[in-house]
Amino acid sequence: MTELFGQVNKLDPDKGLVTLRMSDDDLHTLQKYHATNNQQVLSVIASDDNEPTPKQRRFAFALLNDVWLSQVGGAWLENVESTRRHFYGMYEYYHGLDFGEFSLSAVKGNKSDTNEFINMLLDYTALHNIALSVKPLNELETQEIAHWEYQCLMNKCCVICGKRPSDLHHLDTIGQGVDRRKTNHLKHRAVQLCREHHQMAHSLGVETFLQREHLTGIKIDERIAEVHRLNTK
């Protein structure tokens, strides 16, 4: 049995028909199941717009597994479940929630808390150089990408793949012949990229690269400038 997800397009109660919109991957999986057993039974679970999405839950659990595999932490790394309980507890503590109040489930959870929880996990992975099994930019909701961009600049890990070493990549043209060491870098946009993705950005051009990777860039502030030893005068 496998779990697939889709958005309801049309309901026809008279005929007992439901039309779903599914991702290419899930549709391909469904087609494979149908090819081997055309009498298969599907289980349908309804959810509303405020519940954590399946994509959010998958990403959060993938990050928890990555942290556990890294073994960067304390005694709570005994297994994936103890790792989950640790971060649930941390989230509840820092957000003033009662014990057991936070959840990623469709019954108890909500989208906004889940997004903040994912950001907390990403902050931890960036700070401790933990290898990620999935690319955050493919998983994050649009409004959450800027947080990851900022953390990558602060922790010097590639915003695309999370790898180190990486370098700050300027998105705004400073000017031909201008010495960057003497330029005030504040408010210039930048992203953090490893060598491979740095080369990709140059070959594609700034705007094409940003659109392809769903990035906007972060304006350099005093904190970023200090981490990267950039001139601010």
Side-chain angles (χ1 to χ4, degrees):
M1 184 176 69
T2 190
E3 189 177 18
L4 305 175
F5 303 94
Q7 182 178 2
V8 175
N9 259 5
K10 183 179 179 181
L11 290 172
D12 190 337
D14 296 331
K15 296 182 180 179
L17 297 176
V18 180
T19 304
L20 300 176
R21 179 189 292 121
M22 304 179 71
S23 69
D24 291 342
D25 289 341
D26 281 353
L27 184 59
H28 181 65
T29 301
L30 183 61
Q31 288 173 328
K32 288 195 297 183
Y33 273 83
H34 184 72
T36 57
N37 178 15
N38 58 19
Q39 297 297 320
Q40 69 202 61
V41 176
L42 297 180
S43 175
V44 178
I45 301 174
S47 64
D48 64 36
D49 289 340
N50 194 45
E51 296 170 358
T53 66
K55 184 176 182 179
Q56 282 179 308
R57 291 197 295 270
R58 283 197 298 259
F59 186 36
F61 285 120
L63 292 173
L64 287 168
N65 191 63
D66 291 339
V67 173
W68 173 69
L69 287 173
S70 74
Q71 289 297 291
V72 177
W76 44 266
L77 286 164
E78 180 180 359
N79 52 51
V80 177
E81 178 59 20
S82 61
T83 303
R84 181 192 67 80
R85 289 197 303 267
H86 170 78
F87 281 101
Y88 273 33
M90 293 293 290
Y91 185 85
E92 289 164 346
Y93 175 79
Y94 285 114
H95 288 79
L97 302 177
D98 294 333
F99 175 77
E101 189 174 349
F102 174 74
S103 175
L104 292 174
S105 73
V107 176
K108 294 178 61 178
N110 62 70
K111 280 185 177 181
S112 58
D113 281 350
T114 302
N115 278 330
E116 289 189 27
F117 182 71
I118 286 171
N119 284 336
M120 183 183 75
L121 293 175
L122 284 174
D123 291 351
Y124 189 86
T125 62
L127 180 63
H128 296 285
N129 193 21
I130 293 174
L132 301 179
S133 58
V134 292
K135 292 182 178 180
L137 294 180
N138 293 340
E139 307 296 329
L140 287 168
E141 295 190 352
T142 303
Q143 70 272 20
E144 304 300 327
I145 290 178
H147 180 92
W148 174 242
E149 290 186 67
Y150 191 89
Q151 289 300 320
C152 289
L153 284 163
M154 290 297 296
N155 292 282
K156 297 184 178 181
C157 58
C158 179
V159 71
I160 308 295
C161 62
K163 291 180 181 178
R164 292 178 172 90
S166 64
D167 297 300
L168 182 146
H169 177 71
H170 286 87
L171 298 174
D172 298 322
T173 303
I174 292 179
Q176 188 174 3
V178 176
D179 189 343
R180 286 190 173 182
R181 293 171 298 178
K182 298 179 181 179
T183 298
N184 184 341
H185 291 260
L186 294 180
K187 297 185 179 181
H188 285 280
R189 292 182 305 154
V191 292
Q192 191 76 14
L193 300 173
C194 65
R195 180 173 298 180
E196 175 187 350
H197 290 112
H198 196 108
Q199 292 175 342
M200 178 190 294
H202 279 297
S203 62
L204 291 176
V206 170
E207 294 308 320
T208 300
F209 175 74
L210 293 178
Q211 291 176 11
R212 171 174 168 170
E213 301 299 336
H214 310 293
L215 296 166
T216 57
I218 297 295
K219 289 185 178 180
I220 297 171
D221 60 15
E222 294 282 356
R223 295 179 65 212
I224 294 173
E226 182 179 0
V227 168
H228 291 271
R229 298 182 180 180
L230 300 175
N231 182 53
T232 60
K233 299 179 181 179

